[in-house]
Amino acid sequence: MFNSFVEKLKKEISRKTGVPAKPSDSGFRDYALNRIEIEKSVNTIYENINKKINLEEEYVGNLDEKGQLYCKTKILIQDGSINDGDFTPLKKNVNKTPQKEFARTIKDIRQKIYTHKLFEKVAGLNAIEGVESIPTIIELLMFKKYFTIDSNAYSPSTGESSMILLHKELNEDKEVYVLDEPEKSLGNEYINNVIVPLIKEKAKLGKKIFIATHDANIAVRTLPYNSIYRYHGQEGYETYIGNPFLNYLVNINDTQDKKDWKDVSMRTLEGGRDAFGERGQIYGKV
Protein backbone atom coordinates (compact mmCIF):
# COMPACT_ATOMS: atom_id res chain seq x y z
CA MET A 1 0.00 0.00 0.00
CA PHE A 2 2.87 2.34 0.87
CA ASN A 3 4.62 1.62 -2.45
CA SER A 4 1.39 2.35 -4.29
CA PHE A 5 1.07 5.67 -2.44
CA VAL A 6 4.64 6.63 -3.36
CA GLU A 7 4.01 5.84 -7.06
CA LYS A 8 0.84 7.92 -7.12
CA LEU A 9 2.62 10.79 -5.38
CA LYS A 10 5.44 10.71 -7.94
CA LYS A 11 2.98 10.74 -10.83
CA GLU A 12 1.10 13.71 -9.35
CA ILE A 13 4.30 15.71 -8.82
CA SER A 14 5.41 14.91 -12.35
CA ARG A 15 2.05 16.06 -13.72
CA LYS A 16 2.12 19.41 -11.90
CA THR A 17 5.80 20.21 -12.49
CA GLY A 18 5.95 18.86 -16.02
CA VAL A 19 9.17 17.05 -15.13
CA PRO A 20 9.28 13.23 -15.62
CA ALA A 21 9.65 11.35 -12.36
CA LYS A 22 13.01 9.76 -11.71
CA PRO A 23 13.08 5.98 -11.35
CA SER A 24 13.13 4.83 -7.73
CA ASP A 25 15.75 2.18 -8.47
CA SER A 26 18.16 1.16 -11.23
CA GLY A 27 16.43 -2.13 -12.03
CA PHE A 28 19.47 -4.16 -11.04
CA ARG A 29 17.67 -5.66 -8.04
CA ASP A 30 14.87 -7.06 -10.26
CA TYR A 31 17.45 -8.24 -12.77
CA ALA A 32 19.38 -10.14 -10.08
CA LEU A 33 16.25 -11.63 -8.48
CA ASN A 34 15.08 -12.84 -11.88
CA ARG A 35 18.37 -14.62 -12.51
CA ILE A 36 18.28 -16.18 -9.04
CA GLU A 37 14.75 -17.51 -9.64
CA ILE A 38 15.79 -19.00 -12.98
CA GLU A 39 18.82 -20.60 -11.34
CA LYS A 40 16.67 -22.18 -8.58
CA SER A 41 14.19 -23.57 -11.10
CA VAL A 42 16.88 -24.95 -13.39
CA ASN A 43 18.75 -26.53 -10.47
CA THR A 44 15.55 -28.25 -9.32
CA ILE A 45 15.04 -29.74 -12.80
CA TYR A 46 18.72 -30.68 -13.03
CA GLU A 47 18.65 -32.50 -9.68
CA ASN A 48 15.61 -34.51 -10.72
CA ILE A 49 17.11 -35.38 -14.10
CA ASN A 50 20.14 -36.89 -12.37
CA LYS A 51 18.20 -39.00 -9.87
CA LYS A 52 18.68 -42.78 -9.98
CA ILE A 53 15.72 -45.19 -9.94
CA ASN A 54 16.12 -48.70 -8.56
CA LEU A 55 15.83 -51.64 -10.93
CA GLU A 56 12.57 -53.59 -10.54
CA GLU A 57 12.83 -57.39 -10.65
CA GLU A 58 9.99 -59.91 -10.79
CA TYR A 59 10.26 -63.69 -10.68
CA VAL A 60 8.56 -65.18 -13.74
CA GLY A 61 9.06 -68.92 -13.61
CA ASN A 62 11.29 -71.96 -13.81
CA LEU A 63 12.61 -73.11 -17.19
CA ASP A 64 13.79 -76.44 -15.79
CA GLU A 65 17.46 -77.06 -16.60
CA LYS A 66 17.88 -73.57 -18.07
CA GLY A 67 17.30 -71.91 -14.71
CA GLN A 68 15.10 -69.30 -13.05
CA LEU A 69 13.62 -66.66 -15.33
CA TYR A 70 13.21 -63.07 -14.11
CA CYS A 71 11.62 -60.04 -15.75
CA LYS A 72 13.50 -56.82 -15.07
CA THR A 73 12.26 -53.29 -15.60
CA LYS A 74 14.90 -50.59 -15.87
CA ILE A 75 13.71 -46.98 -15.58
CA LEU A 76 15.93 -43.99 -16.38
CA ILE A 77 15.38 -40.25 -16.56
CA GLN A 78 16.55 -38.82 -19.86
CA ASP A 79 19.53 -36.63 -18.97
CA GLY A 80 20.52 -35.95 -22.57
CA SER A 81 22.96 -38.84 -22.81
CA ILE A 82 20.71 -41.91 -23.19
CA ASN A 83 21.03 -43.29 -26.72
CA ASP A 84 20.00 -46.91 -26.08
CA GLY A 85 17.29 -47.71 -28.64
CA ASP A 86 15.75 -50.31 -26.33
CA PHE A 87 14.50 -47.59 -24.00
CA THR A 88 11.01 -46.22 -24.63
CA PRO A 89 9.37 -43.07 -23.18
CA LEU A 90 7.01 -43.97 -20.34
CA LYS A 91 4.38 -41.55 -21.63
CA LYS A 92 2.97 -42.45 -25.05
CA ASN A 93 2.63 -38.87 -26.32
CA VAL A 94 6.32 -38.06 -25.77
CA ASN A 95 9.03 -38.51 -28.41
CA LYS A 96 12.68 -39.24 -27.71
CA THR A 97 14.10 -36.23 -29.60
CA PRO A 98 12.44 -33.45 -27.55
CA GLN A 99 13.23 -35.44 -24.39
CA LYS A 100 16.92 -35.43 -25.18
CA GLU A 101 17.05 -31.82 -26.43
CA PHE A 102 15.15 -30.60 -23.36
CA ALA A 103 17.59 -32.26 -20.95
CA ARG A 104 20.65 -31.00 -22.85
CA THR A 105 19.28 -27.44 -23.01
CA ILE A 106 18.55 -27.42 -19.26
CA LYS A 107 22.18 -28.33 -18.61
CA ASP A 108 23.30 -25.58 -20.97
CA ILE A 109 21.06 -22.97 -19.30
CA ARG A 110 22.44 -23.99 -15.90
CA GLN A 111 25.96 -23.11 -17.07
CA LYS A 112 24.89 -19.76 -18.61
CA ILE A 113 22.74 -18.39 -15.76
CA TYR A 114 24.92 -15.31 -15.13
CA THR A 115 26.06 -14.67 -18.69
CA HIS A 116 24.59 -12.54 -21.47
CA LYS A 117 23.66 -15.76 -23.35
CA LEU A 118 21.04 -16.83 -20.81
CA PHE A 119 17.97 -15.54 -22.64
CA GLU A 120 19.29 -16.90 -25.92
CA LYS A 121 19.39 -20.36 -24.29
CA VAL A 122 15.92 -19.94 -22.76
CA ALA A 123 14.60 -18.99 -26.19
CA GLY A 124 16.24 -22.14 -27.55
CA LEU A 125 14.41 -24.19 -24.93
CA ASN A 126 11.05 -22.77 -25.98
CA ALA A 127 11.92 -23.37 -29.63
CA ILE A 128 12.36 -27.15 -29.22
CA GLU A 129 9.75 -28.89 -31.34
CA GLY A 130 7.41 -30.85 -29.08
CA VAL A 131 8.69 -29.27 -25.85
CA GLU A 132 5.06 -28.62 -24.80
CA SER A 133 4.72 -32.40 -24.30
CA ILE A 134 7.17 -32.21 -21.36
CA PRO A 135 5.34 -30.27 -18.61
CA THR A 136 6.82 -32.39 -15.76
CA ILE A 137 9.74 -34.66 -14.98
CA ILE A 138 7.48 -37.69 -15.60
CA GLU A 139 7.65 -37.01 -19.35
CA LEU A 140 11.42 -37.57 -19.20
CA LEU A 141 11.07 -41.12 -17.85
CA MET A 142 12.23 -43.96 -20.11
CA PHE A 143 12.03 -47.70 -19.54
CA LYS A 144 12.87 -51.10 -20.95
CA LYS A 145 11.78 -54.58 -19.92
CA TYR A 146 13.89 -57.67 -20.44
CA PHE A 147 14.25 -61.23 -19.20
CA THR A 148 17.29 -62.70 -17.50
CA ILE A 149 18.55 -66.10 -16.41
CA ASP A 150 21.42 -66.01 -13.92
CA SER A 151 21.64 -62.22 -14.52
CA ASN A 152 22.21 -62.79 -18.25
CA ALA A 153 19.76 -61.39 -20.80
CA TYR A 154 17.48 -64.10 -22.22
CA SER A 155 14.70 -64.14 -24.85
CA PRO A 156 12.09 -66.86 -24.14
CA SER A 157 10.74 -68.77 -27.10
CA THR A 158 7.02 -68.68 -27.90
CA GLY A 159 6.54 -71.99 -26.13
CA GLU A 160 8.51 -70.90 -23.09
CA SER A 161 6.51 -67.67 -22.88
CA SER A 162 3.23 -69.62 -22.95
CA MET A 163 4.56 -72.07 -20.39
CA ILE A 164 5.65 -69.32 -18.00
CA LEU A 165 2.43 -67.31 -18.28
CA LEU A 166 0.25 -70.38 -17.77
CA HIS A 167 2.29 -71.63 -14.83
CA LYS A 168 2.19 -68.20 -13.23
CA GLU A 169 -1.58 -67.95 -13.71
CA LEU A 170 -2.21 -71.33 -12.08
CA ASN A 171 0.14 -70.57 -9.20
CA GLU A 172 -1.88 -67.49 -8.21
CA ASP A 173 -4.52 -68.05 -5.56
CA LYS A 174 -7.89 -67.35 -7.19
CA GLU A 175 -11.43 -68.64 -6.86
CA VAL A 176 -11.98 -68.77 -10.64
CA TYR A 177 -9.53 -69.55 -13.45
CA VAL A 178 -10.31 -69.04 -17.14
CA LEU A 179 -7.89 -70.77 -19.54
CA ASP A 180 -8.23 -70.39 -23.31
CA GLU A 181 -6.41 -73.20 -25.14
CA PRO A 182 -3.59 -73.45 -22.58
CA GLU A 183 -1.94 -76.18 -24.65
CA LYS A 184 -0.88 -73.75 -27.39
CA SER A 185 2.88 -73.89 -28.06
CA LEU A 186 3.38 -76.30 -25.15
CA GLY A 187 4.92 -79.74 -25.34
CA ASN A 188 2.92 -82.79 -24.26
CA GLU A 189 5.49 -83.64 -21.60
CA TYR A 190 5.04 -80.26 -19.92
CA ILE A 191 1.24 -80.53 -20.14
CA ASN A 192 1.32 -84.02 -18.58
CA ASN A 193 3.90 -83.32 -15.88
CA VAL A 194 3.02 -79.79 -14.85
CA ILE A 195 -0.26 -78.39 -16.19
CA VAL A 196 -2.57 -81.37 -15.66
CA PRO A 197 -1.40 -81.93 -12.03
CA LEU A 198 -1.81 -78.19 -11.31
CA ILE A 199 -5.38 -78.19 -12.66
CA LYS A 200 -6.23 -81.30 -10.62
CA GLU A 201 -4.77 -79.70 -7.52
CA LYS A 202 -6.87 -76.57 -7.99
CA ALA A 203 -9.99 -78.69 -8.49
CA LYS A 204 -9.33 -80.57 -5.24
CA LEU A 205 -9.17 -77.21 -3.45
CA GLY A 206 -12.65 -76.38 -4.72
CA LYS A 207 -11.52 -73.78 -7.27
CA LYS A 208 -13.58 -73.23 -10.41
CA ILE A 209 -11.66 -73.73 -13.65
CA PHE A 210 -13.07 -73.01 -17.11
CA ILE A 211 -10.96 -74.40 -19.97
CA ALA A 212 -11.40 -74.15 -23.73
CA THR A 213 -9.16 -76.84 -25.21
CA HIS A 214 -8.53 -79.28 -28.06
CA ASP A 215 -6.01 -81.27 -26.02
CA ALA A 216 -7.17 -84.71 -24.86
CA ASN A 217 -4.83 -84.75 -21.87
CA ILE A 218 -6.41 -81.59 -20.50
CA ALA A 219 -10.00 -82.34 -21.52
CA VAL A 220 -10.01 -85.97 -20.29
CA ARG A 221 -7.28 -86.51 -17.69
CA THR A 222 -8.39 -83.58 -15.53
CA LEU A 223 -11.74 -85.41 -15.02
CA PRO A 224 -14.00 -82.43 -15.74
CA TYR A 225 -17.12 -81.95 -13.64
CA ASN A 226 -18.83 -80.57 -16.76
CA SER A 227 -17.92 -80.84 -20.42
CA ILE A 228 -19.46 -78.42 -22.90
CA TYR A 229 -19.50 -79.56 -26.52
CA ARG A 230 -20.45 -77.32 -29.43
CA TYR A 231 -21.75 -79.30 -32.40
CA HIS A 232 -22.38 -77.84 -35.85
CA GLY A 233 -25.11 -79.61 -37.80
CA GLN A 234 -27.47 -78.83 -40.69
CA GLU A 235 -29.54 -76.48 -38.55
CA GLY A 236 -26.56 -74.63 -37.07
CA TYR A 237 -24.82 -74.94 -33.73
CA GLU A 238 -26.10 -77.01 -30.82
CA THR A 239 -24.70 -77.04 -27.30
CA TYR A 240 -24.34 -80.24 -25.26
CA ILE A 241 -23.41 -80.55 -21.58
CA GLY A 242 -22.31 -83.66 -19.69
CA ASN A 243 -19.38 -85.36 -18.00
CA PRO A 244 -17.26 -88.51 -18.22
CA PHE A 245 -18.83 -90.06 -15.11
CA LEU A 246 -22.29 -90.32 -16.69
CA ASN A 247 -20.77 -90.80 -20.15
CA TYR A 248 -23.32 -88.72 -22.03
CA LEU A 249 -23.80 -85.19 -23.29
CA VAL A 250 -27.29 -83.65 -23.30
CA ASN A 251 -28.55 -81.01 -25.73
CA ILE A 252 -29.47 -77.97 -23.62
CA ASN A 253 -32.47 -77.31 -25.91
CA ASP A 254 -33.65 -80.92 -26.16
CA THR A 255 -33.06 -83.26 -23.21
CA GLN A 256 -33.94 -86.26 -25.38
CA ASP A 257 -31.01 -85.51 -27.68
CA LYS A 258 -27.98 -87.18 -26.14
CA LYS A 259 -24.49 -88.06 -27.33
CA ASP A 260 -21.95 -90.53 -25.98
CA TRP A 261 -19.30 -88.57 -24.04
CA LYS A 262 -16.52 -91.08 -24.73
CA ASP A 263 -17.35 -91.32 -28.44
CA VAL A 264 -17.47 -87.52 -28.85
CA SER A 265 -14.20 -87.11 -26.93
CA MET A 266 -12.35 -89.65 -29.06
CA ARG A 267 -13.73 -88.20 -32.29
CA THR A 268 -13.13 -84.56 -31.38
CA LEU A 269 -9.92 -84.78 -29.38
CA GLU A 270 -8.18 -87.94 -30.51
CA GLY A 271 -8.92 -87.96 -34.25
CA GLY A 272 -11.59 -90.68 -33.99
CA ARG A 273 -11.96 -94.15 -32.49
CA ASP A 274 -9.75 -95.77 -35.18
CA ALA A 275 -6.95 -93.27 -34.64
CA PHE A 276 -7.18 -93.77 -30.88
CA GLY A 277 -7.03 -97.57 -31.31
CA GLU A 278 -4.18 -97.45 -33.79
CA ARG A 279 -2.06 -95.37 -31.44
CA GLY A 280 -2.73 -97.90 -28.71
CA GLN A 281 -1.60 -100.75 -30.97
CA ILE A 282 1.56 -98.89 -31.98
CA TYR A 283 2.45 -97.94 -28.44
CA GLY A 284 1.78 -101.49 -27.37
CA LYS A 285 4.41 -102.77 -29.79
CA VAL A 286 7.10 -100.36 -28.61
Side-chain angles (χ1 to χ4, degrees), residues 112-153:
K112 303 292 193 303
I113 289 292
Y114 295 104
T115 72
H116 67 281
K117 292 186 176 182
L118 172 63
F119 294 104
E120 175 188 327
K121 298 301 178 182
V122 172
L125 180 68
N126 293 326
I128 295 173
E129 185 176 352
V131 72
E132 66 280 354
S133 66
I134 311 175
T136 69
I137 198 71
I138 295 174
E139 282 71 32
L140 294 178
L141 292 175
M142 307 184 74
F143 79 100
K144 74 171 179 178
K145 282 182 175 288
Y146 57 99
F147 293 101
T148 62
I149 291 180
D150 296 330
S151 299
N152 297 315

Short mmCIF file of all heavy atoms in Angstrom, two decimals, residues 112-153:
data_model
loop_
_atom_site.label_atom_id
_atom_site.label_comp_id
_atom_site.label_asym_id
_atom_site.label_seq_id
_atom_site.Cartn_x
_atom_site.Cartn_y
_atom_site.Cartn_z
N LYS A 112 24.89 -21.13 -18.05
CA LYS A 112 24.89 -19.76 -18.61
C LYS A 112 24.01 -18.81 -17.80
O LYS A 112 23.66 -17.74 -18.29
CB LYS A 112 24.37 -19.81 -20.06
CG LYS A 112 25.12 -20.73 -21.00
CD LYS A 112 26.51 -20.25 -21.27
CE LYS A 112 27.17 -20.97 -22.43
NZ LYS A 112 27.25 -22.43 -22.28
N ILE A 113 23.66 -19.18 -16.57
CA ILE A 113 22.74 -18.39 -15.76
C ILE A 113 23.19 -16.93 -15.64
O ILE A 113 22.39 -16.00 -15.82
CB ILE A 113 22.61 -18.99 -14.34
CG1 ILE A 113 21.82 -20.31 -14.39
CG2 ILE A 113 21.89 -18.01 -13.40
CD1 ILE A 113 20.37 -20.16 -14.75
N TYR A 114 24.45 -16.68 -15.37
CA TYR A 114 24.92 -15.31 -15.13
C TYR A 114 25.75 -14.77 -16.29
O TYR A 114 26.68 -13.99 -16.10
CB TYR A 114 25.70 -15.25 -13.82
CG TYR A 114 24.83 -15.56 -12.63
CD1 TYR A 114 24.90 -16.80 -11.99
CD2 TYR A 114 23.88 -14.65 -12.18
CE1 TYR A 114 24.06 -17.10 -10.93
CE2 TYR A 114 23.04 -14.93 -11.11
CZ TYR A 114 23.15 -16.16 -10.49
OH TYR A 114 22.30 -16.46 -9.44
N THR A 115 25.40 -15.20 -17.49
CA THR A 115 26.06 -14.67 -18.69
C THR A 115 25.02 -13.99 -19.58
O THR A 115 23.81 -14.16 -19.40
CB THR A 115 26.75 -15.80 -19.49
OG1 THR A 115 25.74 -16.60 -20.12
CG2 THR A 115 27.60 -16.67 -18.58
N HIS A 116 25.49 -13.25 -20.56
CA HIS A 116 24.59 -12.54 -21.47
C HIS A 116 23.87 -13.49 -22.43
O HIS A 116 22.96 -13.09 -23.14
CB HIS A 116 25.38 -11.50 -22.27
CG HIS A 116 26.37 -12.10 -23.22
ND1 HIS A 116 27.60 -12.59 -22.81
CD2 HIS A 116 26.31 -12.31 -24.56
CE1 HIS A 116 28.26 -13.06 -23.85
NE2 HIS A 116 27.50 -12.91 -24.93
N LYS A 117 24.28 -14.79 -22.44
CA LYS A 117 23.66 -15.76 -23.35
C LYS A 117 22.45 -16.47 -22.74
O LYS A 117 21.85 -17.34 -23.38
CB LYS A 117 24.70 -16.80 -23.77
CG LYS A 117 25.80 -16.25 -24.67
CD LYS A 117 26.70 -17.38 -25.16
CE LYS A 117 27.75 -16.85 -26.13
NZ LYS A 117 28.61 -17.94 -26.65
N LEU A 118 22.11 -16.12 -21.50
CA LEU A 118 21.04 -16.83 -20.81
C LEU A 118 19.74 -16.83 -21.61
O LEU A 118 19.14 -17.88 -21.86
CB LEU A 118 20.80 -16.22 -19.42
CG LEU A 118 19.56 -16.77 -18.69
CD1 LEU A 118 19.71 -18.26 -18.41
CD2 LEU A 118 19.31 -16.00 -17.40
N PHE A 119 19.28 -15.62 -22.00
CA PHE A 119 17.97 -15.54 -22.64
C PHE A 119 17.98 -16.15 -24.04
O PHE A 119 16.96 -16.59 -24.54
CB PHE A 119 17.50 -14.08 -22.66
CG PHE A 119 17.24 -13.56 -21.27
CD1 PHE A 119 18.14 -12.71 -20.65
CD2 PHE A 119 16.13 -13.98 -20.56
CE1 PHE A 119 17.93 -12.26 -19.36
CE2 PHE A 119 15.90 -13.53 -19.27
CZ PHE A 119 16.80 -12.67 -18.66
N GLU A 120 19.15 -16.20 -24.64
CA GLU A 120 19.29 -16.90 -25.92
C GLU A 120 19.05 -18.41 -25.72
O GLU A 120 18.38 -19.06 -26.52
CB GLU A 120 20.70 -16.67 -26.46
CG GLU A 120 21.01 -17.43 -27.74
CD GLU A 120 22.48 -17.32 -28.14
OE1 GLU A 120 23.09 -16.24 -27.87
OE2 GLU A 120 23.02 -18.29 -28.69
N LYS A 121 19.57 -18.95 -24.60
CA LYS A 121 19.39 -20.36 -24.29
C LYS A 121 17.94 -20.67 -23.91
O LYS A 121 17.40 -21.71 -24.27
CB LYS A 121 20.34 -20.79 -23.17
CG LYS A 121 21.82 -20.65 -23.51
CD LYS A 121 22.18 -21.48 -24.73
CE LYS A 121 23.64 -21.32 -25.10
NZ LYS A 121 23.97 -22.11 -26.34
N VAL A 122 17.32 -19.75 -23.14
CA VAL A 122 15.92 -19.94 -22.76
C VAL A 122 15.04 -19.92 -24.00
O VAL A 122 14.10 -20.71 -24.13
CB VAL A 122 15.48 -18.85 -21.76
CG1 VAL A 122 13.98 -18.93 -21.51
CG2 VAL A 122 16.24 -18.99 -20.45
N ALA A 123 15.36 -19.04 -24.94
CA ALA A 123 14.60 -18.99 -26.19
C ALA A 123 14.78 -20.29 -26.97
O ALA A 123 13.84 -20.79 -27.60
CB ALA A 123 15.08 -17.80 -27.03
N GLY A 124 15.99 -20.85 -26.90
CA GLY A 124 16.24 -22.14 -27.55
C GLY A 124 15.43 -23.26 -26.95
O GLY A 124 14.97 -24.18 -27.64
N LEU A 125 15.23 -23.19 -25.62
CA LEU A 125 14.41 -24.19 -24.93
C LEU A 125 12.96 -24.14 -25.42
O LEU A 125 12.35 -25.16 -25.73
CB LEU A 125 14.47 -23.95 -23.42
CG LEU A 125 13.66 -24.93 -22.55
CD1 LEU A 125 14.26 -26.32 -22.60
CD2 LEU A 125 13.61 -24.43 -21.11
N ASN A 126 12.43 -22.93 -25.52
CA ASN A 126 11.05 -22.77 -25.98
C ASN A 126 10.88 -23.13 -27.45
O ASN A 126 9.77 -23.44 -27.89
CB ASN A 126 10.59 -21.32 -25.76
CG ASN A 126 10.49 -20.98 -24.27
OD1 ASN A 126 10.15 -21.83 -23.47
ND2 ASN A 126 10.81 -19.74 -23.92
N ALA A 127 11.98 -23.09 -28.20
CA ALA A 127 11.92 -23.37 -29.63
C ALA A 127 11.99 -24.86 -29.96
O ALA A 127 11.80 -25.25 -31.12
CB ALA A 127 13.04 -22.62 -30.35
N ILE A 128 12.27 -25.71 -28.96
CA ILE A 128 12.36 -27.15 -29.22
C ILE A 128 11.01 -27.68 -29.69
O ILE A 128 9.98 -27.46 -29.04
CB ILE A 128 12.80 -27.91 -27.94
CG1 ILE A 128 14.21 -27.50 -27.54
CG2 ILE A 128 12.72 -29.42 -28.15
CD1 ILE A 128 14.66 -28.07 -26.21
N GLU A 129 11.01 -28.36 -30.80
CA GLU A 129 9.75 -28.89 -31.34
C GLU A 129 9.23 -30.02 -30.44
O GLU A 129 9.93 -30.99 -30.19
CB GLU A 129 9.98 -29.44 -32.76
CG GLU A 129 8.70 -29.90 -33.44
CD GLU A 129 8.94 -30.35 -34.87
OE1 GLU A 129 10.07 -30.16 -35.38
OE2 GLU A 129 8.00 -30.87 -35.48
N GLY A 130 8.01 -29.85 -29.96
CA GLY A 130 7.41 -30.85 -29.08
C GLY A 130 7.70 -30.64 -27.62
O GLY A 130 7.34 -31.48 -26.79
N VAL A 131 8.33 -29.51 -27.25
CA VAL A 131 8.69 -29.27 -25.85
C VAL A 131 7.43 -29.13 -24.98
O VAL A 131 7.47 -29.40 -23.77
CB VAL A 131 9.57 -28.00 -25.72
CG1 VAL A 131 8.75 -26.74 -25.96
CG2 VAL A 131 10.24 -27.97 -24.35
N GLU A 132 6.30 -28.76 -25.58
CA GLU A 132 5.06 -28.62 -24.80
C GLU A 132 4.57 -29.96 -24.26
O GLU A 132 3.73 -30.01 -23.36
CB GLU A 132 3.96 -27.98 -25.66
CG GLU A 132 3.47 -28.82 -26.82
CD GLU A 132 4.40 -28.76 -28.03
OE1 GLU A 132 5.36 -27.97 -28.02
OE2 GLU A 132 4.14 -29.50 -29.00
N SER A 133 5.11 -31.07 -24.79
CA SER A 133 4.72 -32.40 -24.30
C SER A 133 5.50 -32.81 -23.06
O SER A 133 5.36 -33.93 -22.58
CB SER A 133 4.93 -33.45 -25.41
OG SER A 133 6.31 -33.60 -25.72
N ILE A 134 6.36 -31.90 -22.54
CA ILE A 134 7.17 -32.21 -21.36
C ILE A 134 6.87 -31.19 -20.26
O ILE A 134 7.73 -30.36 -19.91
CB ILE A 134 8.68 -32.21 -21.70
CG1 ILE A 134 8.93 -33.05 -22.95
CG2 ILE A 134 9.51 -32.74 -20.55
CD1 ILE A 134 10.36 -33.02 -23.43
N PRO A 135 5.67 -31.22 -19.67
CA PRO A 135 5.34 -30.27 -18.61
C PRO A 135 5.93 -30.64 -17.25
O PRO A 135 6.08 -29.80 -16.37
CB PRO A 135 3.81 -30.30 -18.56
CG PRO A 135 3.46 -31.67 -19.03
CD PRO A 135 4.50 -32.03 -20.05
N THR A 136 6.28 -31.94 -17.04
CA THR A 136 6.82 -32.39 -15.76
C THR A 136 7.97 -33.35 -15.99
O THR A 136 8.24 -33.77 -17.12
CB THR A 136 5.73 -33.11 -14.92
OG1 THR A 136 5.41 -34.37 -15.55
CG2 THR A 136 4.47 -32.27 -14.80
N ILE A 137 8.61 -33.73 -14.90
CA ILE A 137 9.74 -34.66 -14.98
C ILE A 137 9.29 -36.04 -15.43
O ILE A 137 10.08 -36.83 -15.97
CB ILE A 137 10.46 -34.74 -13.60
CG1 ILE A 137 11.87 -35.33 -13.76
CG2 ILE A 137 9.65 -35.56 -12.62
CD1 ILE A 137 12.82 -34.40 -14.44
N ILE A 138 8.02 -36.36 -15.23
CA ILE A 138 7.48 -37.69 -15.60
C ILE A 138 7.65 -37.93 -17.10
O ILE A 138 7.90 -39.06 -17.54
CB ILE A 138 6.00 -37.82 -15.20
CG1 ILE A 138 5.88 -37.77 -13.68
CG2 ILE A 138 5.39 -39.10 -15.74
CD1 ILE A 138 4.45 -37.74 -13.18
N GLU A 139 7.52 -36.87 -17.89
CA GLU A 139 7.65 -37.01 -19.35
C GLU A 139 9.08 -37.31 -19.79
O GLU A 139 9.31 -37.60 -20.96
CB GLU A 139 7.14 -35.75 -20.05
CG GLU A 139 5.64 -35.65 -20.15
CD GLU A 139 4.97 -35.38 -18.82
OE1 GLU A 139 5.58 -34.69 -17.97
OE2 GLU A 139 3.85 -35.85 -18.62
N LEU A 140 10.02 -37.24 -18.87
CA LEU A 140 11.42 -37.57 -19.20
C LEU A 140 11.77 -39.02 -18.84
O LEU A 140 12.88 -39.47 -19.09
CB LEU A 140 12.38 -36.63 -18.47
CG LEU A 140 12.34 -35.15 -18.89
CD1 LEU A 140 13.31 -34.34 -18.05
CD2 LEU A 140 12.65 -34.99 -20.37
N LEU A 141 10.81 -39.74 -18.24
CA LEU A 141 11.07 -41.12 -17.85
C LEU A 141 11.12 -42.03 -19.05
O LEU A 141 10.28 -41.94 -19.96
CB LEU A 141 9.99 -41.60 -16.88
CG LEU A 141 9.96 -40.95 -15.49
CD1 LEU A 141 8.77 -41.46 -14.70
CD2 LEU A 141 11.26 -41.25 -14.74
N MET A 142 12.08 -42.97 -19.05
CA MET A 142 12.23 -43.96 -20.11
C MET A 142 12.40 -45.33 -19.45
O MET A 142 12.94 -45.43 -18.34
CB MET A 142 13.44 -43.64 -20.99
CG MET A 142 13.44 -42.24 -21.54
SD MET A 142 14.84 -41.99 -22.66
CE MET A 142 14.30 -42.90 -24.11
N PHE A 143 11.93 -46.36 -20.13
CA PHE A 143 12.03 -47.70 -19.54
C PHE A 143 12.30 -48.76 -20.60
O PHE A 143 12.06 -48.55 -21.78
CB PHE A 143 10.73 -48.04 -18.79
CG PHE A 143 9.62 -48.49 -19.71
CD1 PHE A 143 9.33 -49.84 -19.88
CD2 PHE A 143 8.87 -47.56 -20.43
CE1 PHE A 143 8.31 -50.24 -20.73
CE2 PHE A 143 7.85 -47.96 -21.28
CZ PHE A 143 7.58 -49.31 -21.42
N LYS A 144 12.78 -49.90 -20.11
CA LYS A 144 12.87 -51.10 -20.95
C LYS A 144 12.68 -52.32 -20.07
O LYS A 144 13.10 -52.34 -18.91
CB LYS A 144 14.19 -51.16 -21.72
CG LYS A 144 15.42 -51.52 -20.90
CD LYS A 144 16.61 -51.76 -21.82
CE LYS A 144 17.89 -52.09 -21.06
NZ LYS A 144 19.03 -52.36 -21.95
N LYS A 145 12.00 -53.32 -20.61
CA LYS A 145 11.78 -54.58 -19.92
C LYS A 145 12.58 -55.67 -20.63
O LYS A 145 12.65 -55.69 -21.86
CB LYS A 145 10.29 -54.95 -19.94
CG LYS A 145 9.43 -54.19 -18.93
CD LYS A 145 7.99 -54.67 -19.01
CE LYS A 145 7.14 -54.02 -17.93
NZ LYS A 145 7.44 -54.54 -16.59
N TYR A 146 13.15 -56.56 -19.84
CA TYR A 146 13.89 -57.67 -20.44
C TYR A 146 13.94 -58.84 -19.46
O TYR A 146 13.75 -58.67 -18.25
CB TYR A 146 15.31 -57.23 -20.83
CG TYR A 146 16.13 -56.67 -19.70
CD1 TYR A 146 17.07 -57.47 -19.04
CD2 TYR A 146 15.99 -55.36 -19.28
CE1 TYR A 146 17.84 -56.97 -18.00
CE2 TYR A 146 16.76 -54.84 -18.24
CZ TYR A 146 17.68 -55.65 -17.61
OH TYR A 146 18.43 -55.16 -16.58
N PHE A 147 14.18 -60.02 -20.00
CA PHE A 147 14.25 -61.23 -19.20
C PHE A 147 15.71 -61.60 -18.95
O PHE A 147 16.58 -61.32 -19.78
CB PHE A 147 13.55 -62.40 -19.91
CG PHE A 147 12.06 -62.23 -20.04
CD1 PHE A 147 11.49 -61.81 -21.22
CD2 PHE A 147 11.22 -62.48 -18.96
CE1 PHE A 147 10.13 -61.65 -21.35
CE2 PHE A 147 9.86 -62.33 -19.07
CZ PHE A 147 9.30 -61.91 -20.26
N THR A 148 15.94 -62.23 -17.81
CA THR A 148 17.29 -62.70 -17.50
C THR A 148 17.24 -64.09 -16.86
O THR A 148 16.26 -64.45 -16.21
CB THR A 148 18.01 -61.75 -16.51
OG1 THR A 148 17.29 -61.73 -15.27
CG2 THR A 148 18.13 -60.36 -17.08
N ILE A 149 18.30 -64.84 -17.11
CA ILE A 149 18.55 -66.10 -16.41
C ILE A 149 19.98 -66.01 -15.87
O ILE A 149 20.91 -65.77 -16.64
CB ILE A 149 18.41 -67.31 -17.34
CG1 ILE A 149 16.96 -67.51 -17.75
CG2 ILE A 149 18.92 -68.59 -16.65
CD1 ILE A 149 16.72 -68.69 -18.68
N ASP A 150 20.11 -66.16 -14.57
CA ASP A 150 21.42 -66.01 -13.92
C ASP A 150 22.05 -64.66 -14.27
O ASP A 150 23.25 -64.56 -14.59
CB ASP A 150 22.37 -67.15 -14.32
CG ASP A 150 21.86 -68.49 -13.85
OD1 ASP A 150 21.18 -68.53 -12.81
OD2 ASP A 150 22.14 -69.50 -14.53
N SER A 151 21.22 -63.61 -14.25
CA SER A 151 21.64 -62.22 -14.52
C SER A 151 22.04 -61.97 -15.96
O SER A 151 22.48 -60.86 -16.30
CB SER A 151 22.80 -61.82 -13.59
OG SER A 151 22.37 -61.88 -12.24
N ASN A 152 21.90 -62.97 -16.84
CA ASN A 152 22.21 -62.79 -18.25
C ASN A 152 20.92 -62.60 -19.03
O ASN A 152 19.92 -63.28 -18.79
CB ASN A 152 22.96 -64.01 -18.80
CG ASN A 152 24.31 -64.20 -18.11
OD1 ASN A 152 25.06 -63.24 -17.93
ND2 ASN A 152 24.63 -65.42 -17.73
N ALA A 153 20.95 -61.66 -19.99
CA ALA A 153 19.76 -61.39 -20.80
C ALA A 153 19.32 -62.65 -21.53
O ALA A 153 20.16 -63.43 -22.02
CB ALA A 153 20.05 -60.27 -21.79
#
